[in-house]
Amino acid sequence: PISISGFVAQYEGDYELADHYIQQSLAREPAFIHANIQAPVPHIYLGNLGKAREVLHRARQMTPEEPQLTACEGLILACEGNFKRAEELANEAAVSKRSVHHFHHALHTVAEIFAICGKPDKAIHALKRSAELGLSNYRAFENDPHLRSIRQHLDFLSLMRDLRRDCEQLRIELDLSISHQSAARI
């Protein structure tokens, strides 16, 4: 549950809280692979790239070929302006078949790299794949600061519209209306 709370905080833009939850998970279980793999991400969002590298190095020792870690390394480089190497790592992560983590997170990070590197079509393609594989969180994509450069791109807007529609349809199918949720709490 703590690890899931870290994802929720991250996707809501509270990166310090996301790191807090990840650190709580790691304090309880230092070998928790998913928490270790996700640990660099809040630091990247916060601009603490040195700390992100340190945490990434520790996680690499556990899962050396994890595409999410390759993508995180690429995102660090993209944030530093090393676009050529960042794109190489994004391409490597995008075709990997060895993920022990949920691969859709790696694709989200790949999209961030391409967006920062000025490759909007590749970024949107990676987001579509991420959504198709299970990360169809339009709010996370719309609020992601690394995706800022593609927010007005027509294909991005179309993807967000489709994801919003799908989310609303699922909400209706599962009867997750606000009044229903309120009644369930009583």
Side-chain angles (χ1 to χ4, degrees):
I2 293 172
S3 179
I4 292 170
S5 298
F7 275 114
V8 171
Q10 174 188 315
Y11 289 137
E12 289 181 350
D14 192 339
Y15 309 118
E16 290 177 0
L17 184 59
D19 181 55
H20 171 76
Y21 284 130
I22 291 168
Q23 294 312 311
Q24 279 189 329
S25 291
L26 292 173
R28 288 184 181 180
E29 181 53 58
F32 184 24
I33 290 176
H34 287 84
N36 276 284
I37 290 170
Q38 199 58 24
V41 176
H43 297 290
I44 297 170
Y45 279 100
L46 290 166
N48 302 331
L49 302 182
K51 180 68 173 177
R53 273 196 175 87
E54 175 188 317
V55 174
L56 180 89
H57 178 72
R58 258 183 291 162
R60 275 268 191 231
Q61 293 173 346
M62 296 176 75
T63 57
E65 295 184 29
E66 172 57 45
Q68 173 63 8
L69 297 176
T70 302
C72 283
E73 183 180 348
L75 184 56
I76 292 168
L77 292 169
C79 289
E80 293 174 336
N82 186 346
F83 299 150
K84 184 179 187 306
R85 182 66 182 138
E87 285 184 61
E88 290 170 356
L89 291 171
N91 287 324
E92 180 183 327
V95 298
S96 178
K97 302 287 189 228
R98 298 179 178 246
S99 182
V100 296
H101 194 50
H102 300 288
F103 188 59
H104 51 253
H105 295 293
L107 290 170
H108 176 207
T109 306
V110 164
E112 293 172 309
I113 295 166
F114 287 135
I116 292 170
C117 293
K119 308 287 184 180
D121 293 334
K122 291 178 88 170
I124 293 165
H125 176 73
L127 284 179
K128 286 178 181 176
R129 286 186 60 210
S130 178
E132 289 166 0
L133 292 175
L135 185 59
S136 56
N137 187 338
Y138 67 89
R139 284 181 263 168
F141 298 157
E142 287 177 335
N143 296 323
D144 188 324
H146 296 126
L147 299 175
R148 187 176 302 119
S149 68
I150 63 170
R151 282 192 192 131
Q152 298 307 313
H153 194 285
L154 291 178
D155 290 337
F156 180 82
L157 294 171
S158 176
L159 176 61
M160 294 307 102
R161 184 182 61 247
D162 292 347
L163 293 177
R164 247 188 246 96
R165 181 200 63 227
D166 294 349
C167 180
E168 179 62 17
Q169 183 61 39
L170 184 61
R171 189 184 67 74
I172 291 167
E173 287 176 18
L174 296 176
D175 192 22
L176 298 175
S177 64
I178 293 172
S179 61
H180 179 72
Q181 290 174 355
S182 298
R185 290 186 191 137
I186 297 175

